Amino acid sequence: MAKAVHPNIFTIPPHRAFSDALAAGLLRMHGKDPLGLAGGIILVPTNRTARAIQDAFVRRSSAGLVLPRLVPIGDPEIVETLGSALDPIGICADIPPAVAPLERTMRLATIVQRTRERLGEPVDAGEAVRLARDLATTLDQLLIEKVNPEALADGVEGELAEHWKVSLDQLEMILTEWPAELLKLGKIDMAERRNRLLDHMAERWRISPPDGFVVAAGIASTSPSVAQVLRTVARMEQGSVVLPGLDTVMPDCEWEALGPHDRDPQSGFRKRSIETHPQFALKLLLDRVGVARDEVRPWRWGGGHDSPAVRTRAISNVMAPANFTGKWNDLPPRERRLSGVRGLELATPREEAQVIAIAMREVLETPGRTAALVTPDRALARRVSAHLRRWGVEADDSAGRPLSEQPPGTLLVALATAAADRFAPISLLALLKHPLVQAGDGRGTWLNDVRQLDIALRGPRPRAGLEGVSEHLRSMTAQARDREREALLSVQRWWDDTADLLRPLQGAAQASATLSALIAAIRDAASRLAGDVVWSGPTGREAARFIADCEMQSALGPAAAEISDMAPLLTHLMGDIAVRPPQGGHPRLSIWGVLEARLQQADLMILGGLNEGIWPNLPAPDPWLAPRLRAELELPGLERRIGLAAHDFASALGGRQVLVTRARRDASAPAIASRFWLRLEAMTGGLTRAPRFKAWGTSIDHADHQTQSAARPAPAPPMADRPKQISVTKVDRLKADPFAFYAQTMLRLSALDPLDSDPSPAWRGSAVHQILEDWFREDDCDPDKLIARAEALLDASDAHPLMRAMWRPRLTEPIRWIGERVRAQIAAGRIPVAAEADGKTEISGVVLTGKVDRIDTLPDSSLAIVDYKTGQPPSPAAVEAGFAMQLGLLGLLADRGAFAGIDGSAALFEYWSLGKDGDGFGYVKEPFRKRGDAEITAENFVAHAASVFADAAELWLIGDEPFTAKLHPEYAPYGDYDQLMRLQEWYGRSDG
């Protein structure tokens, strides 16, 4: 065969658009004949790169064109794709087929689980799948780098930490079992099959190259098999290799410092490579191809989107290895200037997304101009896409999103989570509110019913399971007033039908089901809740294929599977499936991930998300191989990915116009600027800013007129509409915060308890009242039976065991104190005669109602009014100020005979607090001062309370006084209505 005298290796520098420059050069060399390109082959890294190069040919061709074959070098069926250009049919039949990815994960998960069990460290199915995915990555790296697994522990095992020795032992056991498993199947790993195909291709082309030209374009993989193919192509007469962005201007000392380095012959020490540098992978590739850097020639053709050539030298300088950055101080301005590159630093990701969208929208004002956002931050990409819709512009994220983040995927995970949580309120409602559930014409009615269920489930968690929710609704319905009962009955009927849809899933979750049965139960539940919509569209069809594959391969997966394993298991498996939107976005605006951005440029390149942990992303740890062991085996270090991210950044930085952005904080904390951003700032002395975009971002949501702050609300409804009935517990609110009374009583607004909340002090108060009422009515105040009731209530609660343990002493100890104190009082002649009794009377044209916690008859036939408090009782100062009148008003009701069967006058008023008193719980306190000159005493307390109430009723209930907000804030501690009254806008202002 004819060979090239010199290797045909070229590079396209960053200041040129790779795809367009490649297309321009090939058209110049082979495009004179309309069919000149047809016989050629272009090897590319990925399918997405192939599409980019194809688009570049279309842009540069004015007439019809027959394109060369664009073949991804990672294609597992590359032999079939190349066809006659490689081999006669069937010559590669001796290469076994590859094991399917999901089958491989399931089989590896089974081996991992079995191995961990043998070592006495069992893992559940979800963790086994996670470890299997990481193991598959490690195996692929070993295969791609052609590392013999037998060399794993040679020479370093004794130097590893103990936990790495354990991981290595597990890995060696698995690597003994896995090849035998593959041999039994008659299959091999996908990476191994790809290696064999590429090795065969390199050998075949070395002997008999194709008739047409062959170009390996944009390939930067350092795999030995890929390097062997490039080595062959570079030495073919009609072959050429075109590398992306090889730095040919970097000084030799910097180039040699990158590594990889040979061992010192005396010490055996190997100097560490600079794998985080953007040129390291290309240097390693050249070493494996057997070509020196000075043998690489520049590609002579441009692509029409080129920036000035000086940009490439500036990029080389800004990405210099850390030990060489001191040269920045001596660089001439021309070699450190990044003309056309601007930077923007915004406060938050929301502002960053809005400014990027504005910059992209401005590009559309110039006909034919293009823009692309390049970012590894998919959340930023989605935000920008949403902002662009403000102008009716669609620019979908072409990098796609994992199936686990798409609606069908999140529905499957929500079903598994709800079943694992035994349909606890939060996970149950998240499932029922999922956008795919009952989508269609009946969605509005469905959501209305779900919201009613949401309200009904507020507060502490009901008993577990679907039956627990039903029981909770029945209990609420039985206790509801007539007006609320009908609504609750409607919710109950709806819930009974909904529970039937979920009952098969609950049955599978509670049974000793197999992994296959659990997946089938989740699939069926999704179909019952969402119908065909869950399996429709691009994402739905991908979800259907995924579930079908899971059911088919699940028998090969971990044997022991629980419903609690399913959510993480599904999330891990769906995380490997990227779903990309269909074509149809704006033709001149693009949103690319870093993979999509490789080898293509737009007129305006926006590089977003320049924060550490995003660009570059932090390398994920390898749970199987220690960093020392990876280095000894010459596997890619975990930091190699940072070098690849740096190369992507450097390539994108070569665009004609570039806007680099970052946010100073993320959603939860201040963010650290990316090392790439810091390099740009340090070398240039500060990037040129783009203030107009920031100003537009600020002004776009700015109102033309200044909105005035709200005044203190003081609604004044007509007297006829004002309530003529009030409870004794609301009198304080009426006086201290009339607006809160108005919102609660007239607007009928009330704060909702949190969902699935832990037992709160309010819950404890209600529980204590219920215990004491039942104790009075059913146990005749027998102290020996009181503690048993408290214990039974705690045991019936579905609160977390830790919360029950914390509440037990706070509830049982005060209850025990009450029982002992009542026992002593009964012995002294003080007899409880009423508990939780209702009464009402009319005063000044207003009906006053109240429920008394307990009334005792004293030896002199007078009455004692008792109110239980779970916290601190009101102070005497509050009573003297005209507040905390509850006991006095209950005494007024008792004096007027408002409590059925109770006669006598109130003479004693006591708060029985269940709070801490010294070393114990429980104490008694009266609502007035004990000194002799106290203004309010037991003798005049009722009369004083009546006077206070009459004055309040006259002002706000039968008068026309406005319901002013926070009239006495010192006695209005609750903030349930602060947002409604817009408190922060007026409170504390002199005119408020």
Side-chain angles (χ1 to χ4, degrees):
M1 74 173 226
K3 293 185 178 180
V5 177
H6 299 288
N8 292 322
I9 298 191
F10 304 89
T11 183
I12 297 177
H15 72 272
R16 288 182 174 169
F18 187 96
S19 298
D20 290 282
L22 179 72
L26 292 178
L27 282 169
R28 185 69 61 88
M29 290 187 288
H30 305 286
K32 295 179 181 178
D33 182 349
L35 298 179
L37 293 171
I41 297 171
I42 302 178
L43 300 177
V44 295
T46 63
N47 284 312
R48 282 168 276 180
T49 306
R51 286 195 295 270
I53 294 176
Q54 180 177 321
D55 292 342
F57 275 112
V58 172
R59 285 193 296 270
R60 310 227 20 123
S61 175
S62 57
L65 194 65
V66 180
L67 295 179
R69 272 180 289 184
L70 295 162
V71 182
I73 199 166
D75 187 351
E77 304 301 332
I78 192 170
V79 173
E80 287 76 6
T81 306
L82 288 171
S84 60
L86 181 60
D87 243 347
I89 295 176
I91 199 166
C92 293
D94 57 332
I95 300 179
V99 61
L102 185 58
E103 178 185 356
R104 184 191 194 208
T105 300
M106 288 296 186
R107 290 184 181 274
L108 284 175
T110 300
I111 295 175
V112 168
Q113 193 175 57
R114 193 162 55 233
T115 302
R116 294 291 291 264
E117 286 176 358
R118 286 200 300 263
L119 295 174
E121 299 176 356
V123 293
D124 59 38
E127 179 65 4
V129 167
R130 185 189 71 81
L131 289 172
R133 291 173 69 236
D134 292 334
L135 174 61
T137 301
T138 300
L139 288 175
D140 285 343
Q141 290 176 347
L142 290 170
L143 293 168
I144 289 170
E145 295 296 323
K146 299 186 176 180
V147 174
N148 186 354
E150 295 179 0
L152 280 176
D154 291 349
V156 297
E157 184 173 3
E159 304 174 21
L160 297 176
E162 191 62 33
H163 69 283
W164 282 120
K165 291 180 182 178
V166 173
S167 294
L168 184 57
D169 290 342
Q170 295 175 13
L171 182 57
E172 288 179 325
M173 294 172 65
I174 292 169
L175 290 181
T176 301
E177 191 172 347
W178 178 239
E181 182 88 4
L182 289 176
L183 185 61
K184 184 172 62 177
L185 294 171
K187 298 179 180 180
I188 58 176
D189 289 298
M190 182 75 75
E192 175 63 18
R193 176 175 170 80
R194 189 178 294 117
N195 280 350
R196 295 189 191 185
L197 290 174
L198 292 176
D199 291 344
H200 170 79
M201 183 169 77
E203 179 63 20
R204 182 69 184 178
W205 280 358
R206 187 182 65 81
I207 299 171
S208 177
D211 295 333
F213 69 87
V214 178
V215 177
I219 298 171
S221 171
T222 59
S223 161
S225 293
V226 172
Q228 187 63 28
V229 171
L230 299 187
R231 182 188 185 97
T232 299
V233 171
R235 288 165 172 79
M236 287 164 35
E237 184 176 9
Q238 295 191 78
S240 57
V241 174
V242 185
L243 298 176
L246 177 69
D247 191 344
T248 58
V249 299
M250 174 188 285
D252 289 340
C253 58
E254 296 181 22
W255 179 257
E256 294 301 327
L258 299 181
H261 305 283
D262 295 329
R263 291 184 183 274
D264 185 277
Q266 296 180 348
S267 66
F269 175 76
R270 188 199 301 271
K271 188 178 178 182
R272 188 175 181 182
S273 301
I274 309 176
E275 293 189 72
T276 58
H277 195 275
Q279 293 296 309
F280 174 81
L282 289 173
K283 184 177 186 300
L284 179 60
L285 178 60
L286 287 179
D287 290 346
R288 289 181 172 178
V289 172
V291 174
R293 182 175 59 142
D294 55 12
E295 294 183 86
V296 180
R297 291 170 283 172
W299 188 256
R300 293 189 294 114
W301 297 275
H305 288 276
D306 303 345
S307 58
V310 71
R311 177 75 61 79
T312 291
R313 185 169 291 275
I315 292 172
S316 174
N317 289 328
V318 80
M319 303 306 288
N323 290 339
F324 297 89
T325 52
K327 71 177 182 180
W328 290 348
N329 296 321
D330 304 321
L331 287 176
R334 186 170 180 271
E335 293 190 13
R336 66 196 303 175
R337 187 183 302 123
L338 285 167
S339 300
V341 179
R342 294 166 294 169
L344 267 181
E345 195 171 25
L346 290 311
T348 65
R350 184 192 67 81
E351 292 183 24
E352 183 182 11
Q354 179 151 283
V355 166
I356 291 172
I358 291 172
M360 296 179 75
R361 175 62 183 84
E362 188 206 28
V363 166
L364 298 182
E365 296 300 304
T366 303
R369 195 162 179 245
T370 60
L373 166 64
V374 182
T375 179
D377 186 353
R378 309 286 30 101
L380 177 63
R382 289 194 295 272
R383 283 177 180 265
V384 172
S385 181
H387 277 295
L388 286 171
R389 293 191 192 103
R390 167 183 284 179
W391 300 290
V393 175
E394 289 290 337
D396 292 323
D397 181 5
S398 63
R401 293 167 61 191
L403 180 59
S404 57
E405 296 179 9
Q406 300 278 12
T410 57
L411 177 60
L412 297 174
V413 173
L415 281 162
T417 302
D421 291 344
R422 300 169 69 189
F423 299 100
I426 291 179
S427 53
L428 172 63
L429 291 168
L431 168 63
L432 298 179
K433 293 178 182 180
H434 191 280
L436 293 184
V437 173
Q438 299 297 317
D441 295 339
R443 173 76 175 169
T445 303
W446 172 269
L447 285 179
N448 183 64
D449 291 328
V450 174
R451 292 184 189 108
Q452 296 302 315
L453 178 66
D454 184 331
I455 294 173
L457 292 178
R458 296 281 168 160
R461 177 186 295 194
R463 191 168 60 84
L466 300 173
E467 295 76 14
V469 176
S470 300
E471 181 182 300
H472 176 76
L473 291 175
R474 286 194 295 269
S475 175
M476 288 192 65
T477 303
Q479 299 174 19
R481 296 179 216 154
D482 292 341
R483 187 180 61 202
E484 301 170 346
R485 183 174 292 113
E486 188 57 40
L488 283 170
L489 284 172
S490 175
V491 174
Q492 191 174 334
R493 288 190 294 267
W494 170 83
W495 167 248
D496 290 340
D497 295 336
T498 302
D500 289 339
L501 301 177
L502 298 171
R503 197 158 278 113
L505 176 60
Q506 178 178 259
Q510 293 174 345
S512 298
T514 63
L515 180 59
S516 176
L518 290 173
I519 293 174
I522 291 172
R523 178 206 63 207
D524 292 342
S527 296
R528 284 192 296 271
L529 281 176
D532 292 339
V533 68
V534 69
W535 316 118
S536 302
T539 56
R541 288 190 292 271
E542 198 65 51
R545 281 192 293 269
F546 166 74
I547 283 291
D549 288 346
C550 279
E551 288 191 73
M552 185 183 303
Q553 306 293 347
S554 57
L556 307 174
E562 303 288 341
I563 188 63
S564 57
D565 304 332
M566 296 308 298
L569 185 148
L570 292 173
T571 301
H572 291 318
L573 293 178
M574 289 190 292
D576 294 331
I577 303 173
V579 182
R580 292 175 177 83
Q583 298 296 323
H586 199 284
R588 292 197 283 134
L589 298 183
S590 303
I591 299 177
W592 295 328
V594 290
L595 287 177
E596 287 73 25
R598 289 176 182 174
L599 314 186
Q600 55 183 331
Q601 289 181 356
D603 294 322
L604 173 64
M605 296 289 288
I606 303 175
L607 314 185
L610 265 292
N611 284 329
E612 282 294 300
I614 296 178
W615 201 349
N617 195 4
L618 297 178
D622 182 353
W624 293 100
L625 289 180
R628 169 70 188 278
L629 188 54
R630 295 180 68 90
E632 291 295 330
L633 297 173
E634 299 186 13
L635 289 175
L638 297 179
E639 293 184 339
R640 178 83 61 88
R641 299 174 191 174
I642 295 178
L644 297 177
H647 189 270
D648 294 333
F649 177 76
S651 299
L653 205 59
R656 181 183 297 176
Q657 295 291 326
V658 181
L659 177 64
V660 186
T661 69
R662 70 172 293 260
R664 287 190 292 271
R665 64 175 297 115
D666 58 19
S668 59
I672 300 174
S674 166
R675 63 192 72 187
F676 307 148
W677 174 280
L678 295 177
R679 281 175 169 269
L680 292 173
E681 292 278 88
M683 191 191 78
T684 62
L687 283 172
T688 303
R689 298 307 195 220
R692 76 177 191 276
F693 293 134
K694 191 171 183 179
W696 290 345
T698 302
S699 63
I700 194 170
D701 292 326
H702 184 72
D704 294 334
H705 61 280
Q706 183 67 36
T707 303
Q708 293 186 351
S709 298
R712 181 193 295 239
M719 287 186 290
D721 294 341
R722 299 186 181 215
K724 298 300 184 289
Q725 179 173 310
I726 186 173
S727 168
V728 295
T729 57
K730 295 183 179 180
V731 175
D732 274 3
R733 173 164 279 181
L734 175 63
K735 290 188 61 184
D737 192 353
F739 180 85
F741 174 85
Y742 164 80
Q744 181 185 38
T745 306
M746 298 193 67
L747 300 183
R748 301 185 184 280
L749 300 176
S750 59
L752 294 174
D753 291 331
L755 270 172
D756 205 1
S757 63
D758 292 319
S760 62
W763 172 86
R764 183 169 62 137
S766 300
V768 167
H769 282 76
Q770 187 64 49
I771 290 170
L772 294 174
E773 179 182 1
D774 295 342
W775 177 59
F776 174 83
R777 299 187 189 280
E778 300 175 13
D779 299 334
D780 296 328
C781 295
D782 183 351
D784 297 331
K785 297 181 179 180
L786 185 54
I787 293 298
R789 284 193 174 274
E791 295 284 356
L793 184 138
L794 281 170
D795 293 338
S797 170
D798 200 40
H800 191 279
L802 177 61
M803 289 302 301
R804 288 205 300 268
M806 293 176 62
W807 276 112
R808 192 173 298 274
R810 299 186 184 188
L811 185 62
T812 57
E813 290 303 316
I815 289 291
R816 182 177 287 108
W817 169 80
I818 290 175
E820 295 301 326
R821 188 173 183 87
V822 169
R823 185 200 300 271
Q825 289 178 345
I826 291 175
R830 176 172 168 176
I831 310 299
V833 294
E836 300 298 325
D838 293 312
K840 64 180 179 179
T841 188
E842 184 174 330
I843 303 175
S844 301
V846 175
V847 175
L848 178 66
T849 65
K851 174 179 283 191
V852 64
D853 290 347
R854 200 178 87 218
I855 299 178
D856 297 347
T857 300
L858 302 177
D860 62 358
S861 299
S862 60
L863 303 178
I865 308 297
V866 177
D867 187 55
Y868 299 120
K869 293 293 183 185
T870 54
Q872 184 76 18
S875 66
V879 175
E880 292 172 358
F883 296 91
M885 293 289 112
Q886 180 179 351
L887 281 180
L889 293 175
L890 289 171
L892 176 62
L893 292 174
D895 286 356
R896 294 196 174 195
F899 299 111
I902 306 297
D903 295 322
S905 299
L908 183 63
F909 304 90
E910 292 178 341
Y911 291 113
W912 285 35
S913 175
L914 278 65
K916 193 169 180 58
D917 180 34
D919 295 333
F921 288 91
Y923 60 91
V924 176
K925 183 177 180 181
E926 292 186 316
F928 19 79
R929 302 183 192 277
K930 295 181 179 180
R931 66 184 186 221
D933 60 344
E935 297 179 8
I936 303 175
T937 63
E939 288 73 18
N940 65 8
F941 188 31
V942 170
H944 177 71
S947 174
V948 168
F949 172 73
D951 292 343
E954 185 176 348
L955 284 173
W956 286 289
L957 302 182
I958 59 177
D960 58 358
E961 185 74 9
F963 290 96
T964 306
K966 297 289 184 184
L967 204 56
H968 298 283
E970 65 275 22
Y971 296 110
Y974 300 108
D976 293 345
Y977 303 98
D978 288 357
Q979 186 174 8
L980 182 64
M981 65 178 68
R982 298 168 72 171
L983 179 72
Q984 298 300 322
E985 296 188 34
W986 54 264
Y987 188 72
R989 290 203 337 244
S990 58
D991 60 341

